[in-house]
Amino acid sequence: MTALARPTHGRMIGGVCAALARRFGTSATTMRVIFLLSCLLPGPQFLLYIALWILLPSEEKAADRTAW
């Protein structure tokens, strides 16, 4: 598994689904479909997406942290 960071390439909105797809070894399209289907269920999926967008570092920032 790779580190959880939003990629700079291959993301559509915030890169959260692309980051999760890389982390768990699936395609970004599969993760996006799973997210869209989960939005049909009751729950805070959209709020979780926004929170992950804010909390997950981008690849550039994550690379800067590991350089130290």
Side-chain angles (χ1 to χ4, degrees):
M1 286 190 210
T2 61
L4 195 54
R6 294 180 297 116
T8 54
H9 301 291
R11 62 186 189 185
M12 294 197 91
I13 297 175
V16 175
C17 289
L20 291 173
R22 282 187 183 179
R23 175 78 163 120
F24 295 113
T26 64
S27 72
T29 303
T30 302
M31 194 60 69
R32 290 177 186 128
V33 169
I34 291 170
F35 172 72
L36 288 175
L37 290 176
S38 76
C39 286
L40 298 175
L41 301 171
Q45 293 86 343
F46 188 71
L47 294 175
L48 181 63
Y49 186 91
I50 299 295
L52 287 173
W53 190 354
I54 293 168
L55 295 174
L56 289 180
S58 65
E59 277 183 337
E60 297 163 345
K61 291 180 183 177
D64 289 343
R65 285 188 199 156
T66 58
W68 285 84

